Structure formats: structure tokens, C-alpha cells
Amino acid sequence: MRLTVFGVKALLFYAAIVGAYYAAPYVNLFFLLLAFFSIQWAFTWLWTAANMRGVRGTVGQVPPVEAGSLATVEGGLEADRRVRFDLEIELQLEGGECARGHVPVLRGASQVQIDVPALPRGVHSVTSANVTSTYPLGLLRRSVTIAGPREIVVAPRPAAVSESASRTAEDLLRELMGSSMQGAGD
């Protein structure tokens, strides 16, 4: 488990209350706040850990995607008999992009639609596939690694027929060969 951004802010506020407890002459109110916040942190840690216990998931292979277009892929989550809340499947890509699917409430097994962002042409490696949750208060984030695809293949966007009709064969060949085509005098 690790802190979220909200958890860091809450921890700084907790530290400010500890400082006020030792600095102020009237400490009854600060003592009650410290007791409440300490119990809140303990229960948050236990509840977040219990929410992710027994959660399993898989993500299927991503079919080839057209460059610059959004895609979805099927994923599956399952847990034991208890109800789980606020789960998210994340596929972290090598370039920093992230594909996500969200399940607000999980009872037993469920299918998840994972939205893949628009990617440029190429083969994008998937660095990690995780199920994460920040339930109940958003102070802590717990992740569980799941089975997922190794890569996402993004094919080039097909050219429209109207674009190709106005080009000559030499233009199409030059575009296809790129910089490797020899000049007229070579």
C-alpha cells in the first residue's frame, strides 16, 4: 500500500495537529482530534487491505488497433463471496500512457471494459497490469498484479480512396519507400 496525493495532504494535516497538541496550552480538543485521526488511519489501512484481499483478474489480448483511435478490451475480475468496492484495472504502457477500466461494485465475477487511449503507430509494450483500489477514504492505494497482455499493436491508419486517386504511381512509390528511394540521376 502507498499513500495517494490526498493521503499525503491528510498526513501533513495530522502532523500539524500533533504540532498544535504539543504547542498549545489547551490540549483537550487537540487530543480528541489526534485520537479520532489515529483511529481513522488504522481503520483505513485495515479496510483498504481487506477490500483487495482475494481479488483476481485477467486482461485478454488487445486486437490490433488503428492509429489515433480509441479502443476497448475485455477484462475480467473476480473475488470471493464478499462485496468489493471501487476497483480499477490499469494497464501501464511503456510511453507513460495508461489504459483503465472501472468497476464500482464487484460481487463474485464481472467483465470490465478497459479503455485504451489513442496511440501512435507502433508496438507499445505493457509494463504492468494491476487492479487498484483506494476504498474507503482515498488515503491509501493498494495494487494487485494480474495477468495481462505483453504488448499492444497499433496499425497505421488506412488512407482514404479519394486521397489515393489523385496521386501518381511514382508519388505512392516515393511515399512507400521513404528516404531510401534513389534520385533520378543516381
Side-chain angles (χ1 to χ4, degrees):
M1 272 190 275
R2 63 183 197 270
L3 289 171
T4 62
V5 174
F6 180 59
V8 170
K9 292 176 183 178
L11 202 56
L12 290 173
F13 182 70
Y14 184 79
I17 296 298
V18 169
Y21 175 72
Y22 287 112
Y26 182 71
V27 295
N28 289 342
L29 176 63
F30 294 119
F31 175 78
L32 291 175
L33 282 172
L34 280 177
F36 174 74
F37 289 147
S38 299
I39 291 169
Q40 176 188 0
W41 275 102
F43 277 117
T44 298
W45 188 84
L46 291 171
W47 208 344
T48 303
N51 188 51
M52 291 295 291
R53 190 176 305 125
V55 173
R56 297 169 303 281
T58 57
V59 179
Q61 286 300 103
V62 181
V65 179
E66 184 180 312
S69 65
L70 301 175
T72 59
V73 64
E74 285 286 324
L77 282 176
E78 61 181 74
D80 53 4
R81 298 180 305 250
R82 294 185 45 218
V83 178
R84 307 286 188 223
F85 299 97
D86 197 27
L87 299 174
E88 190 172 76
I89 292 182
E90 294 179 343
L91 297 176
Q92 289 289 336
L93 302 178
E94 192 173 40
E97 297 91 353
C98 187
R100 288 191 170 98
H102 186 259
V103 177
V105 178
L106 176 67
R107 288 186 178 98
S110 178
Q111 292 297 318
V112 183
Q113 293 292 329
I114 302 168
D115 298 323
V116 179
L119 299 169
R121 172 183 162 184
V123 178
H124 301 272
S125 297
V126 177
T127 57
S128 67
N130 299 315
V131 177
T132 63
S133 178
T134 59
Y135 184 78
L137 300 176
L139 300 174
L140 299 171
R141 175 182 305 277
R142 179 154 185 233
S143 298
V144 174
T145 303
I146 61 171
R150 294 184 187 270
E151 59 189 23
I152 297 175
V153 177
V154 180
R157 171 174 258 134
V161 175
S162 61
E163 293 176 16
S164 300
S166 63
R167 295 187 202 160
T168 64
E170 185 178 328
D171 292 336
L172 292 174
L173 183 61
R174 186 177 293 116
E175 186 178 312
L176 179 65
M177 296 298 285
S179 62
S180 65
M181 188 167 166
Q182 299 296 323
D186 294 338

